[in-house]
Amino acid sequence: MFSHLPSLQLLLLNSNSFTVIRDDAFAGLFHLEYLFIEGNKIEMISRNAFRGLRDLTHLSLANNHLKALPRDVFSDLDSLIELDLRGNKFECDCKAKWLFLWLKMTNSTVSDVLCIGPAEYQDKKLNDVTSFDYECTTTDFVVHQILPYQSVSVDTFNSKNDVFVAIAQPSMENCMVLEWDHIEMNFRSYDNITGQSIVGCKAILVGDQVFVVVAQLFGGSHIYKFDESWTKFVKFQDIEVSRISKPNDIELFEIDSEMFFVIADSSKAGLSTVYKWNNKGFYSYQSLHEWFRDTDAEFLDIDGKSHLILSSRSQVPIILQWNKASKKFVPHSEIPNMEDVLAVKSFRMQDDLYITLTRFIGDSRVMKWNSKQFVEIQALPSRGAMTLQPFSFKNNYYLALGSDYTFSQIYQWDSEKKIFRLFKEIYVQAPRSFTAVSTDRRDFFFASSFKGNTQIFEHIIIDLSL
């Protein structure tokens, strides 16, 4: 409506009943200097409402019903000298963060901006509000990439400044190795280790050598080594079939600069076994208890001492402690009243040590070390759960609970309430593991699925002030 008024310098729209100012409302007013829209009922202004008004020096939006303004709504007003926002009461929350920062930087004279909320800021000036940085961001998980195959476990490792993942695919009889593509920004196929009913692929880095332990249900388990000349993994050694008959978990750890891994064996006749690197290969170092159908092994440091926690379908989790004299693990204690635990995972927040206990029947648990024992701090309903995985990105702490019967749930740590709160639900068919991977300043987690596609979710930071 103003396209034929290019020379107009003063426009008064006071005391009307306008409620909205939309994008390019004043297109054509290239030389407008004074714009007064006072005493209306304006509740919403579009981000590009004042686009093109580069000569505007005075703008009044006084006495309207504004509670928020879109980010950068004044970005085109290069000549602005005075802005009047009196008579509006703003919500001084995340939506006002940009305005708060703009008021600190602008050379224009701006009337006081008063707050109507939140309650602690009511009737205060926006300039007096403290920083919005913490309150104005949240996080989310979005699907980044879908891998068209099933899997039961994912492991990640770094080699020569590149990030890799090894994915166990029992139905395809593969251990698929993927590499992060810095150009395409996704994970691409790098190598493929074939086998029989592969249930675990665990990378081990010894100096500049890269090994992958491939645990199989049939045909024995093996260790592969990356061959630079062939640019692929080749078989390095076998693992004794007599000791490992039904591997369920592989845990890597280091004690006194020596490299070990343990395989938890879940068969009645199997032996969970610790293996040690001897500069030529990995040899069986210690057999742990037999006849207990171990489902998971977790290495952790408790008060400066090395420990292993073994989970079992036939007894409560037991804690083994490293004996420095004998250089072997010896029974230390147990976690009482916790039958049928599928897995134990450890994590730290600040200086505190926590563990999660995955239970298929009953509630899974979060427990905290109190300098004497692990004590329960939270129970999570988890019927049908096969995995409860802790992970963290950018000081945000999460638990991923995967169930065969319902949506998988992601919990986030509430630092005020000191508990994990339900954050998001994601659909993963028969989830078996969740694995965090970071590369190129981006954070992902892999959700393996026994019956569907393997999904890669990206952890993103959302600025609520946008």
Side-chain angles (χ1 to χ4, degrees):
M1 64 182 293
F2 302 122
S3 58
H4 299 295
L5 300 171
S7 300
L8 190 68
Q9 293 179 305
L10 170 64
L11 177 60
L12 304 179
L13 295 171
N14 297 347
S15 303
N16 284 285
S17 298
F18 298 129
T19 58
V20 176
I21 304 177
R22 301 199 184 279
D23 286 344
D24 301 307
F26 306 100
L29 299 177
F30 304 114
H31 298 292
L32 190 68
E33 296 180 13
Y34 297 85
L35 176 60
F36 295 85
I37 319 175
E38 300 176 356
N40 281 266
K41 301 175 182 178
I42 298 170
E43 297 177 351
M44 194 273 285
I45 299 178
S46 296
R47 177 174 296 190
N48 297 311
F50 305 117
R51 183 158 50 190
L53 301 183
R54 298 195 179 279
D55 287 351
L56 194 70
T57 58
H58 292 73
L59 172 63
S60 177
L61 298 167
N63 301 314
N64 280 284
H65 298 169
L66 291 170
K67 292 184 178 181
L69 289 169
R71 187 185 185 99
D72 297 332
V73 67
F74 306 127
S75 61
D76 260 20
L77 306 183
D78 297 338
S79 304
L80 190 65
I81 296 173
E82 187 170 331
L83 173 64
D84 192 351
L85 294 171
R86 290 174 299 172
N88 296 283
K89 294 290 186 72
F90 286 81
E91 289 288 349
C92 296
D93 54 12
C94 289
K95 293 180 181 177
K97 177 185 175 183
W98 79 268
L99 183 57
F100 170 84
L101 297 174
W102 183 80
L103 290 173
K104 299 288 187 184
M105 297 184 296
T106 184
N107 292 322
S108 305
T109 300
V110 184
S111 63
D112 290 338
V113 178
L114 296 181
C115 303
I116 194 174
E120 61 267 32
Y121 299 136
Q122 189 169 358
D123 296 325
K124 292 186 177 181
K125 298 176 184 178
L126 178 59
N127 276 326
D128 296 333
V129 174
T130 54
S131 172
F132 296 88
D133 288 349
Y134 176 78
E135 297 87 350
C136 282
T137 60
T138 187
T139 60
D140 198 4
F141 293 92
V142 296
V143 175
H144 171 77
Q145 189 176 350
I146 295 178
L147 306 177
Y149 43 75
Q150 302 163 359
S151 62
V152 293
S153 72
V154 178
D155 185 43
T156 180
F157 62 97
N158 290 50
S159 178
K160 297 182 178 179
N161 298 319
D162 285 315
V163 175
F164 300 86
V165 293
I167 303 177
Q169 306 166 291
S171 62
M172 298 176 66
E173 300 190 330
N174 289 331
C175 177
M176 178 72 73
V177 181
L178 305 182
E179 178 187 27
W180 172 253
D181 189 322
H182 298 275
I183 298 175
E184 297 295 330
M185 293 295 176
N186 58 22
F187 292 89
R188 65 183 181 188
S189 178
Y190 182 78
D191 194 11
N192 186 27
I193 302 171
T194 58
Q196 299 180 53
S197 296
I198 296 175
V199 294
C201 306
K202 189 71 175 181
I204 302 176
L205 276 66
V206 181
D208 59 355
Q209 303 177 87
V210 181
F211 301 91
V212 173
V213 181
V214 178
Q216 302 184 149
L217 293 181
F218 306 105
S221 296
H222 312 283
I223 299 175
Y224 289 76
K225 179 183 177 182
F226 186 75
D227 189 314
E228 294 282 357
S229 60
W230 291 85
T231 63
K232 63 180 300 180
F233 286 93
V234 297
K235 185 182 286 188
F236 177 71
Q237 72 174 85
D238 297 326
I239 297 175
E240 306 97 307
V241 178
S242 60
R243 293 181 178 273
I244 303 298
S245 56
K246 192 177 180 182
N248 207 73
D249 181 49
I250 310 169
E251 178 77 356
L252 173 69
F253 57 94
E254 187 175 330
I255 299 177
D256 297 331
S257 299
E258 294 187 300
M259 192 70 66
F260 299 85
F261 70 87
V262 57
I263 297 182
D265 193 290
S266 59
S267 67
K268 290 183 179 180
L271 275 172
S272 293
T273 304
V274 176
Y275 295 83
K276 180 182 178 182
W277 172 253
N278 68 354
N279 294 320
K280 294 182 180 180
F282 296 90
Y283 66 97
S284 57
Y285 182 77
Q286 181 183 0
S287 295
L288 306 176
H289 63 181
E290 55 185 329
W291 310 111
F292 284 113
R293 300 174 61 200
D294 296 328
T295 54
D296 180 81
E298 179 73 0
F299 178 82
L300 66 167
D301 182 292
I302 303 177
D303 296 334
K305 298 179 180 178
S306 299
H307 293 76
L308 272 179
I309 301 181
L310 294 180
S311 307
S312 170
R313 298 301 293 263
S314 59
Q315 67 169 11
V316 298
I318 66 167
I319 302 176
L320 307 174
Q321 182 175 302
W322 180 258
N323 184 298
K324 288 192 174 182
S326 65
K327 294 191 174 183
K328 295 288 179 70
F329 285 101
V330 296
H332 179 266
S333 59
E334 62 182 32
I335 302 176
N337 306 315
M338 287 293 166
E339 292 78 12
D340 196 38
V341 172
L342 290 177
V344 175
K345 301 299 177 186
S346 64
F347 63 103
R348 290 187 178 272
M349 288 192 292
Q350 286 76 49
D351 295 323
D352 295 320
L353 174 64
Y354 298 82
I355 58 173
T356 62
L357 291 81
T358 307
R359 302 178 75 197
F360 188 82
I361 300 173
D363 292 345
S364 293
R365 300 291 201 276
V366 182
M367 307 185 80
K368 180 180 178 181
W369 179 253
N370 69 356
S371 77
K372 293 182 179 180
Q373 61 183 353
F374 285 103
V375 295
E376 181 181 327
I377 65 168
Q378 189 173 357
L380 300 174
S382 59
R383 179 175 176 268
M386 298 293 289
T387 178
L388 177 58
Q389 179 66 48
F391 62 99
S392 64
F393 295 130
K394 297 179 175 68
N395 294 320
N396 293 284
Y397 296 90
Y398 301 97
L399 298 178
L401 177 64
S403 171
D404 281 4
Y405 298 148
T406 184
F407 285 92
S408 293
Q409 298 173 325
I410 299 176
Y411 290 82
Q412 185 177 32
W413 178 251
D414 186 326
S415 57
E416 293 184 2
K417 301 292 184 180
K418 302 298 182 183
I419 61 171
F420 284 94
R421 293 190 177 277
L422 182 61
F423 177 73
K424 186 183 179 72
E425 291 186 330
I426 58 176
Y427 181 63
V428 181
Q429 285 183 278
R432 290 297 178 266
S433 71
F434 298 100
T435 305
V437 181
S438 295
T439 178
D440 284 348
R441 299 183 181 179
R442 297 172 68 175
D443 300 312
F444 305 92
F445 81 85
F446 282 65
S448 65
S449 169
F450 186 60
K451 295 183 179 180
N453 293 328
T454 300
Q455 299 181 63
I456 306 173
F457 293 84
E458 182 171 8
H459 178 259
I460 60 173
I461 306 294
I462 300 174
D463 187 344
L464 297 175
S465 68
L466 296 176

